[in-house]
Amino acid sequence: MYKGIACPAGYGVGKVIIINNALPSYREVRITDHEKEWERYEKATEAFKKYTLHALKRLKNALGDEADVLEGQIRLLDDHTMQSEIKRRISEGVCAEWAVHIVCDRVTSILTATGDGLTMQRAADINDIKIRLIRILTGIDEFELDKFKEGSVIVASKLTPYIAARMDRDKVVGIVTEEGTKTSHSAVLAEVLGIPTVLGVDGIVSSVSNGMNICVDSVRGMVITEPDKATKIKYKEQQKAYLQEQEKLNAFIGKDTKSADGTTFKIYANATGIADVKAGLEGDCQGIGVFATEYVFMGSRNAPDEDRQFEVYKEACELTGKNPLVIRTIDIGGDKRIPYLGIEKEENPFLGVRGIRFCLRKPDILKTQLKAILRASAFGNIKIMMPMVSTLRELRQTRQLLTEVKAELKKEKIKYDKNIELGVMIETPAAAIMADAFAKEADFFSIGNNDLTQYIMASDRGNEGVSNLYSAFDPAVLRMLRQVIAAANREKIPVSNCGEACAIPYYVPFLMACGLNEFSVSHTKILSVRSEISKWTIEAAQDYADELMSFTTKEELLENIETIYKKYIQ
Ligand code: PEP
Ligand code: MG
């Protein structure tokens, strides 16, 4: 049995198909016919582009924005400096494989040294290019499509967009990779593909062989190779039950989101781009609870100008139509850095110039964004949301900028929604403690419990070393949530929750009891949250929440939660 990171949930039982996307071995030979070697290199790059474009065509519809990575790889390969460096090595007598290896490694190490998330992603792309080019040069095909038989489980060192594009999605029942963390590119791809996947399983490629039986349990993050008959049967049954459960959820498509006693809630989807908006709508969301715009910035080399941003926001709000599209102003800093915005390296980026703090220091960037959002607001139901707010002053300053931008638009006779709402994310303890005051000035709240939990518990959300402390079930977090929601209820402003915990079945009735109005979740969780809500009366949820609130440690709470949950669920 192997352990890894599960995403997305499900079970897959099938036979291994290894996709060897590791660097192949080759001989470092000296060459004398430089021209012929350059031709060989050029032929390989042509093949690379042909395969990539073919993959891109397959991928574009299925994976939306993720496909851009492949386009980016073609651009990187065409990069003039890289090309001339490779040419120079070849003219010095280095064979093509070796030249590609040296040059790509140099670029990768320069990019990696920046320590910047987006630049490092580019380094990972160069590494992919290197491996694929050398595989083509050495004549080792990457993988053949006819290898995919019904019930295949892909085992690879890494899940790349190229693999995602080339695999036959109807035949693949599971994916296992050696690399990948919960927030990696592989995880995003796996989520979009919707195939049970376990990432980060060390040494799995060399531990399996083609055709071997394998069970992928991406509910628990486990992989079992060569299962005995009983295990195989058990997993097949779990897979069947899981699929039946999913089937049952389909009954909630197109339904209102209501508790068992008729209280109405809304379920929105979280989005980081247009593809997510589409996925959310396909998943039957009632709007987009967070449209995280930093990804619009992270996906380009320069800051997108007002028109470019306007196009994106307009496209998103035309898709959501009458339903709300909550656009979050850029939340950079923390773990998200954008080189061209000139954010200084900080000792403690999560406590640094992040989110609205950054924007208020660069009012031009914020004003451009607000203007693009306001212009788009003439085409749908847009609301604006501020991330990482800690003081009322930040809200007032932003409102002031919004007023200024509105005046500019009015002067320019450009249409916008005059009543556009401005809400705040409650994700710092300061904002949570001051929720009563914020509720008097903000148009709505959205609780970001990914961050709120890390700041309340003073434990970095990405640091394994303190993951025992980082829990949305800690009584400190539950108490804070109850206060924040009550403050919003008192002022009668809508309050939503958009952190990951709000989709957990045990969390849903707690939030219902507190008085939450809206849940904003991954598109894969919309129906399961709607179903969960339907199983609770408000009274039962309140009894359940009261019992949870009686615990003073999360350990005791988690030991008892299942029993309490079962006691009250309808
Ligand atoms: C959160 O903090 O809960 C949230 C939704 O925002 P992000 O995860 O993007 O910081
Ligand atoms: Mg956050």
Side-chain angles (χ1 to χ4, degrees):
M1 204 249 298
Y2 300 83
K3 278 202 93 57
I5 299 155
C7 68
Y11 300 93
V13 182
K15 288 196 187 303
V16 168
I17 143 165
I18 300 175
I19 293 187
N20 198 343
N21 49 355
L23 184 69
S25 53
Y26 64 89
R27 283 196 24 238
E28 296 170 2
V29 289
R30 306 286 312 174
I31 46 109
T32 46
D33 192 342
H34 307 140
E35 229 159 77
K36 203 165 145 208
E37 194 63 3
W38 178 248
E39 263 173 37
R40 197 165 77 84
Y41 168 77
E42 281 200 309
K43 253 197 176 148
T45 58
E46 283 316 311
F48 178 100
K49 285 185 201 165
K50 196 178 98 193
Y51 295 154
T52 310
L53 284 172
H54 178 70
L56 192 63
K57 241 164 92 188
R58 286 172 59 106
L59 192 63
K60 199 83 194 169
N61 289 337
L63 300 185
D65 293 351
E66 279 304 303
D68 295 347
V69 175
L70 290 180
E71 258 167 10
Q73 289 193 354
I74 296 180
R75 273 201 306 275
L76 284 172
L77 185 62
D78 279 337
D79 180 79
H80 179 69
T81 326
M82 212 162 97
Q83 289 283 328
S84 53
E85 271 294 294
I86 291 172
K87 195 165 193 169
R88 183 170 69 80
R89 305 283 167 155
I90 290 176
S91 69
E92 287 167 2
V94 172
C95 71
E97 289 88 341
W98 199 4
V100 168
H101 202 150
I102 305 168
V103 173
C104 288
D105 276 0
R106 259 200 71 215
V107 180
T108 308
S109 61
I110 294 169
L111 296 177
T112 310
T114 62
D116 166 72
L118 191 67
T119 316
M120 281 165 70
Q121 177 53 47
R122 213 155 280 145
D125 284 336
I126 302 258
N127 200 44
D128 280 356
I129 293 174
K130 173 184 86 178
I131 295 172
R132 286 187 47 214
L133 260 184
I134 296 179
R135 291 189 78 86
I136 295 170
L137 282 163
T138 48
I140 304 167
D141 188 19
E142 299 170 292
F143 50 93
E144 291 132 29
L145 290 171
D146 58 13
K147 273 194 187 164
F148 291 104
K149 305 222 164 63
E150 210 68 56
S152 290
V153 171
I154 289 181
V155 177
S157 59
K158 176 177 171 187
L159 178 60
T160 62
Y162 188 67
I163 296 181
R166 289 203 59 190
M167 72 169 144
D168 193 336
R169 288 164 72 202
D170 295 336
K171 293 185 178 152
V172 177
V173 296
I175 301 171
V176 186
T177 70
E178 296 190 334
E179 289 179 32
T181 59
K182 209 154 182 68
T183 50
S184 64
H185 233 68
S186 298
V188 176
L189 271 174
E191 195 68 52
V192 178
L193 288 168
I195 297 171
T197 299
V198 179
L199 302 167
V201 183
D202 229 12
I204 187 75
V205 176
S206 53
S207 314
V208 295
S209 53
N210 276 319
M212 190 185 253
N213 285 317
I214 188 166
C215 300
V216 181
D217 174 347
S218 67
V219 174
R220 296 176 195 85
M222 278 173 5
V223 176
I224 292 131
T225 51
E226 299 191 280
D228 57 26
K229 210 171 158 196
T231 311
K232 224 169 128 180
I233 292 173
K234 184 184 102 189
Y235 270 99
K236 284 239 170 187
E237 277 167 4
Q238 282 186 340
Q239 184 183 29
K240 207 168 134 197
Y242 183 80
L243 292 176
Q244 278 171 351
E245 193 57 37
Q246 295 300 107
E247 197 58 39
K248 271 200 224 147
L249 290 181
N250 289 341
F252 287 90
I253 297 176
K255 294 270 159 62
D256 288 341
T257 307
K258 272 191 183 158
S259 67
D261 53 352
T263 304
T264 307
F265 296 84
K266 291 266 191 263
I267 304 192
Y268 299 145
N270 294 340
T272 61
I274 297 293
D276 281 349
V277 174
K278 289 182 184 159
L281 292 168
E282 271 166 33
D284 204 33
C285 68
Q286 294 162 290
I288 299 295
V290 189
F291 184 81
T293 56
E294 53 276 11
Y295 295 91
V296 179
F297 284 67
M298 286 162 89
S300 62
R301 280 166 194 259
N302 314 306
D305 63 14
E306 186 189 308
D307 285 344
R308 167 76 192 123
Q309 290 188 55
F310 164 69
E311 290 302 333
V312 178
Y313 307 151
K314 176 170 173 262
E315 186 179 353
C317 85
E318 283 178 339
L319 284 166
T320 47
K322 284 201 181 86
N323 287 328
L325 168 75
V326 180
I327 300 186
R328 183 173 78 182
T329 55
I330 37 173
D331 185 13
I332 46 162
D335 56 346
K336 300 180 201 116
R337 298 190 55 226
I338 302 179
Y340 58 76
L341 289 181
I343 305 173
E344 313 247 318
K345 220 176 162 79
E346 295 171 305
E347 282 288 326
N348 240 324
F350 273 117
L351 301 180
V353 188
R354 192 192 152 183
I356 201 65
R357 303 172 180 187
F358 169 81
C359 289
L360 289 172
R361 282 187 188 203
K362 305 257 185 187
D364 289 347
I365 293 180
L366 182 56
K367 276 177 91 172
T368 305
Q369 179 165 40
L370 291 176
K371 204 158 176 185
I373 298 174
L374 277 171
R375 278 172 59 194
S377 70
F379 298 87
N381 179 8
I382 292 183
K383 299 171 197 285
I384 304 174
M385 182 161 79
M386 301 161 54
M388 191 63 190
V389 175
S390 39
T391 69
L392 268 170
R393 189 157 179 263
E394 290 163 339
L395 171 58
R396 289 176 190 162
Q397 282 176 323
T398 306
R399 209 181 270 292
Q400 173 60 29
L401 289 177
L402 191 63
T403 309
E404 283 169 32
V405 175
K406 281 182 178 174
E408 284 173 25
L409 286 173
K410 198 171 166 201
K411 223 162 124 192
E412 293 163 32
K413 296 200 167 37
I414 298 174
K415 281 198 173 144
Y416 64 91
D417 174 3
K418 292 190 183 61
N419 301 316
I420 196 160
E421 291 181 8
L422 177 65
V424 291
M425 285 200 68
I426 303 289
E427 53 184 351
T428 67
I433 292 164
M434 295 297 288
D436 55 341
F438 272 102
K440 292 193 169 71
E441 296 191 30
D443 295 320
F444 62 91
F445 281 175
S446 186
I447 302 168
N449 47 12
N450 300 344
D451 275 316
L452 189 56
T453 304
Q454 86 163 340
Y455 293 125
I456 290 179
M457 300 308 299
S459 56
D460 182 339
R461 63 198 255 188
N463 183 344
E464 275 298 313
V466 285
S467 58
N468 59 329
L469 285 169
Y470 181 93
S471 168
F473 287 97
D474 196 283
V477 179
L478 298 183
R479 286 179 191 203
M480 195 72 111
L481 287 186
R482 196 148 87 159
Q483 281 177 41
V484 169
I485 298 170
N489 290 167
R490 274 197 300 276
E491 293 301 324
K492 298 193 172 39
I493 61 164
V495 50
S496 88
N497 189 317
C498 60
E500 274 161 40
C502 78
I504 300 173
Y506 290 152
Y507 228 74
V508 172
F510 173 76
L511 293 170
M512 291 168 72
C514 292
L516 194 84
N517 310 114
E518 300 151 1
F519 294 74
S520 190
V521 300
S522 145
H523 67 92
T524 54
K525 305 272 169 61
I526 297 163
L527 296 180
S528 61
V529 174
R530 186 171 290 151
S531 149
E532 188 64 36
I533 290 174
S534 75
K535 294 176 189 161
W536 292 84
T537 61
I538 299 299
E539 197 186 342
Q542 274 164 350
D543 291 341
Y544 167 77
D546 284 346
E547 280 210 38
L548 293 195
M549 291 296 285
S550 69
F551 291 98
T552 45
T553 71
K554 76 152 189 300
E555 286 76 15
E556 287 163 322
L557 183 149
L558 290 175
E559 257 167 46
N560 291 288
I561 200 165
E562 191 179 346
T563 317
I564 305 171
Y565 176 87
K566 286 189 176 149
K567 188 160 116 191
Y568 293 112
I569 194 167
Q570 306 294 301

